[in-house]
């Protein structure tokens, strides 16, 4: 089986390669690393060798040709980052300088990211359609829901993957000492905006027990970030990224102080690639040290200064486990009770002809995150219970903005882009939205080109 990694010179490549070791349920004949940066490709190939990750993979190929990378592939894992980490710094700073959230997947900074990602994501979808029409694209490129929805206009076999929701569910199961194979859970939302609403075994819902337990609930990272009282008031467990909605004022104030995440990554990864090039024999150990620091500082703005990130919040398998389980299901089949949380289309239900859209309040082409079973016949979303009240309002408002982002990027229309930014729930001024859009266009040529047409 051939797997192509888009963004193959990226820092996280060893995570993906690490799942294909002896005993893996998926066997590779070839791993293709594609990137536009040949030097970074060479560095990451060397890191794989230094970490001992090459042995269980039939062949590792590096290329700067997209056509060569995808031709005849079985799976594509897309983790592209147009403009690199420097582009992320612009996204963050231009928003924060105007008192708005600067976070790469949420709000206007995420939309700036999407504007420049969408054209290249469509180029990838077209290449796979033409050169590997039987392949599946697993999209990890952020903002994942927007990018996946845009790509599916060109090629239908695109699915969005994210480790955050299933990681939360697995941690909750672990705390309640539940067997994953026996749990029937209800999760619904968009990428980085969703809620775990029930967690049943034999008809008994264990989620209220978790929410009511003063010893167990504080062990959930979401409770630490968002607050136990609010989660209990909700009566469901929110995705940790809802922290940026529920505590927007506090997080913006905190992010405006000191170094942004993008600035941290520019500094950290710049030092890594420079160090790995200078000392190829030590690149594997250097990667381990840098990766540990990266993991420990993830979403640091949600914790008190100096507070460590619990290991349980890191060690749930990550996105590489999600990708492996998805490929395993599609290639080898899985038991009917095997569940994942994936970003799928609103019309993807097996019973769509009889029962209609999965979330009737959203458009037919909407990408939503739901529990799914996966087998050799494809991906089968489980129909959620009704979405009502504030969660529905937030989902519909954000999804409407996401659709404007896609339309704006495809048409090169600044007015549509302004409407997308100005209507977002975390933006409190249409004038500021217009100002920050113009700033993004001036500061980043990759965004400027989108709106030059």
């Amino acid at each position: 089986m051939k797997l192509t990694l888009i963004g193959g010179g990226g820092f996280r490549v060893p995570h993906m390669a690490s799942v294909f070791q002896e005993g893996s349920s998926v066997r590779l004949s070839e791993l293709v690393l594609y990137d536009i940066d040949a030097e970074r490709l060479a560095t990451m190939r060397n890191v794989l060798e230094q970490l001992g990750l090459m042995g269980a993979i039939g062949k590792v190929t590096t290329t700067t040709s997209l056509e060569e990378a995808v031709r005849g592939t079985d799976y594509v894992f897309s983790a592209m980052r147009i403009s690199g980490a420097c582009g992320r710094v612009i996204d963050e700073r231009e928003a924060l300088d105007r008192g708005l959230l600067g976070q790469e997947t949420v709000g206007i900074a995420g939309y700036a990211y999407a504007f420049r990602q969408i054209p290249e994501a469509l180029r990838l979808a077209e290449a796979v359609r033409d050169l590997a029409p039987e392949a599946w694209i697993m999209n990890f490129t952020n903002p994942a829901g927007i990018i996946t929805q845009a790509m599916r206009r060109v090629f239908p076999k695109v699915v969005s993957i994210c480790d955050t929701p299933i990681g939360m569910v697995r941690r909750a199961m672990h705390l309640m000492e539940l067997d994953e194979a026996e749990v029937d859970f209800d999760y619904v939302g968009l990428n980085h905006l969703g809620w775990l609403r029930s967690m049943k075994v034999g008809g008994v819902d264990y989620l209220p027990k978790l929410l009511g337990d003063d010893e167990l609930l504080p062990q959930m990272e979401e409770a630490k970030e968002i607050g136990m009282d609010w989660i209990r008031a909700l009566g469901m467990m929110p995705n940790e990224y809802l922290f940026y909605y529920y505590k927007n004022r506090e997080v913006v104030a905190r992010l405006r102080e000191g170094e942004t995440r993008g600035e941290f990554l520019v500094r950290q990864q710049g030092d890594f690639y420079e160090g790995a090039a200078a000392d190829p024999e030590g690149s594997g150990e250097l990667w381990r040290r840098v990766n540990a620091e990266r993991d420990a500082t993830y979403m640091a703005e949600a914790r008190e200064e100096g507070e460590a990130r619990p290991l349980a919040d890191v060690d749930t398998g990550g996105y590489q486990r999600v990708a492996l389980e998805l490929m395993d299901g599609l290639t080898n089949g899985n038991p009917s009770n095997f569940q994942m949380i994936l970003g799928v289309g609103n019309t993807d239900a097996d019973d769509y002809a009889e029962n209609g859209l999965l979330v009737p309040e959203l458009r037919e082409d909407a990408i939503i995150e739901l529990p799914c079973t996966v087998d050799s016949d494809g991906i089968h979303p489980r129909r959620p219970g009704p979405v009502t009240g504030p969660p529905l309002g937030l989902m519909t408002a954000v999804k409407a903005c996401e659709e404007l982002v896609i339309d704006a990027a495809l048409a090169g229309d600044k007015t549509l882009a302004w409407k997308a930014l100005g209507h977002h729930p975390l933006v409190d001024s249409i004038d500021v939205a217009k100002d920050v859009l113009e700033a993004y266009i001036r500061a980043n040529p990759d965004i400027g080109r989108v709106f030059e047409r």
Side-chain angles (χ1 to χ4, degrees):
M1 186 181 80
K2 178 179 177 180
L3 168 65
T4 300
L5 299 189
I6 305 297
F11 181 81
R12 293 179 291 187
V13 166
H15 287 299
M16 193 67 187
S18 68
V19 298
F20 300 106
Q21 299 305 296
E22 294 299 333
S24 169
S25 56
V26 175
R27 307 299 295 171
L28 291 186
S29 58
E30 183 178 9
L31 174 65
V32 180
L33 306 182
Y34 163 78
D35 205 291
I36 62 171
D37 190 326
E39 291 184 4
R40 288 200 170 194
L41 280 173
T43 294
M44 293 318 301
R45 182 187 176 91
N46 187 47
V47 169
L48 294 183
E49 291 177 349
Q50 292 290 310
L51 295 176
L53 297 175
M54 304 279 277
I57 300 170
K59 179 172 69 170
V60 177
T61 302
T62 61
T63 180
T64 57
S65 165
L66 179 61
E67 290 73 19
E68 179 184 342
V70 303
R71 183 175 287 109
T73 196
D74 298 290
Y75 293 97
V76 175
F77 181 86
S78 176
M80 65 177 70
R81 182 178 284 278
I82 307 304
S83 302
C86 293
R88 179 174 180 171
V89 173
I90 295 171
D91 299 343
E92 294 169 340
R93 277 295 170 201
E94 296 294 352
L96 290 168
D97 286 350
R98 292 161 176 80
L100 300 174
L101 177 68
Q103 204 284 331
E104 74 163 344
T105 67
V106 177
I108 61 171
Y111 290 178
Y113 194 16
F115 290 142
R116 62 183 183 272
Q117 299 273 81
I118 287 172
E120 291 304 312
L122 291 183
R123 189 167 78 92
L124 170 61
E126 290 166 354
V128 176
R129 177 197 64 196
D130 297 340
L131 300 172
E134 299 303 314
W136 277 93
I137 300 176
M138 301 175 289
N139 180 54
F140 190 67
T141 297
N142 279 320
I146 297 176
I147 301 304
T148 301
Q149 190 161 327
M151 293 179 79
R152 281 174 61 126
R153 293 190 178 195
V154 172
F155 184 68
K157 294 176 68 175
V158 186
V159 59
S160 170
I161 71 170
C162 181
D163 56 317
T164 301
I166 194 61
M168 175 182 70
V169 173
R170 282 174 166 149
R171 285 185 281 108
M173 291 177 185
H174 174 75
L175 285 174
M176 298 305 293
E177 298 182 339
L178 302 176
D179 184 342
E180 180 178 332
E182 298 177 354
V183 179
D184 179 18
F185 62 89
D186 179 33
Y187 180 96
V188 66
L190 311 179
N191 180 242
H192 290 178
L193 194 160
W195 300 264
L196 174 63
R197 303 188 297 176
S198 68
M199 196 168 57
K200 296 180 180 179
V201 176
V204 177
D205 189 357
Y206 284 81
L207 184 59
K209 297 181 180 182
L210 174 58
L211 300 187
D213 194 307
D214 289 336
E215 294 185 3
L216 296 181
L217 183 58
Q219 297 182 51
M220 292 293 293
E221 182 72 0
E222 293 75 13
K224 299 171 192 172
E225 295 167 349
I226 295 169
M228 290 171 54
D229 290 346
W230 182 246
I231 288 178
R232 285 170 170 165
L234 291 174
M236 49 190 167
M237 186 69 69
N239 184 304
E240 66 180 342
Y241 279 84
L242 278 158
F243 166 75
Y244 296 109
Y245 290 88
Y246 294 148
K247 292 194 172 183
N248 182 63
R249 180 188 295 266
E250 293 83 357
V251 74
V252 169
R254 187 164 183 177
L255 286 172
R256 294 183 79 175
E257 300 177 359
E259 190 176 49
T260 70
R261 180 66 171 174
E263 289 164 343
F264 166 79
L265 292 176
V266 166
R267 174 176 54 80
Q268 185 206 50
Q269 293 189 19
D271 290 346
F272 163 74
Y273 283 104
E274 182 178 333
D279 180 18
E281 295 302 314
S283 61
E285 183 56 36
L286 177 61
W287 184 88
R288 284 194 182 97
R289 293 198 305 270
V290 173
N291 182 64
E293 182 186 20
R294 179 183 175 126
D295 277 347
T297 56
Y298 174 74
M299 280 190 74
E301 63 269 18
R303 298 186 294 277
E304 295 299 322
E305 186 173 353
E307 181 183 356
R309 187 182 182 200
L311 179 61
D313 294 320
V314 181
D315 191 20
T316 54
Y319 64 86
Q320 62 271 21
R321 178 178 176 182
V322 178
L324 179 68
E325 290 172 342
L326 178 56
M327 289 185 287
D328 183 24
L330 292 169
T331 303
N332 303 320
N334 270 297
S336 60
N337 63 355
F338 180 81
Q339 291 186 83
M340 307 179 68
I341 297 177
L342 300 169
V344 296
N346 205 12
T347 61
D348 286 359
D350 292 341
D351 64 350
Y352 169 64
E354 297 80 23
N355 296 313
L357 300 173
L358 287 160
V359 178
E361 294 80 7
L362 299 180
R363 269 180 15 184
E364 290 186 357
D365 62 341
I367 295 297
I368 48 181
E369 287 190 347
L370 294 171
C372 303
T373 55
V374 181
D375 58 31
S376 54
D377 292 326
I379 299 169
H380 312 282
R382 300 191 62 178
R383 190 168 290 277
V387 186
T388 60
L392 176 60
L394 188 55
M395 282 179 62
T396 54
V398 171
K399 180 52 72 176
C401 292
E402 292 183 354
E403 288 156 356
L404 285 169
V405 167
I406 295 170
D407 292 342
L410 294 180
D413 190 323
K414 287 201 296 185
T415 299
L416 289 177
W418 178 28
K419 288 172 67 176
L421 272 59
H423 280 105
H424 194 278
L426 298 183
V427 176
D428 59 1
S429 166
I430 56 173
D431 294 336
V432 173
K434 189 172 188 179
D435 181 49
V436 76
L437 174 62
E438 295 292 347
Y440 284 143
I441 291 171
R442 287 194 305 270
N444 190 331
D446 288 330
I447 296 178
R449 280 189 288 271
V450 171
F451 296 105
E452 284 175 353
R453 291 169 285 166

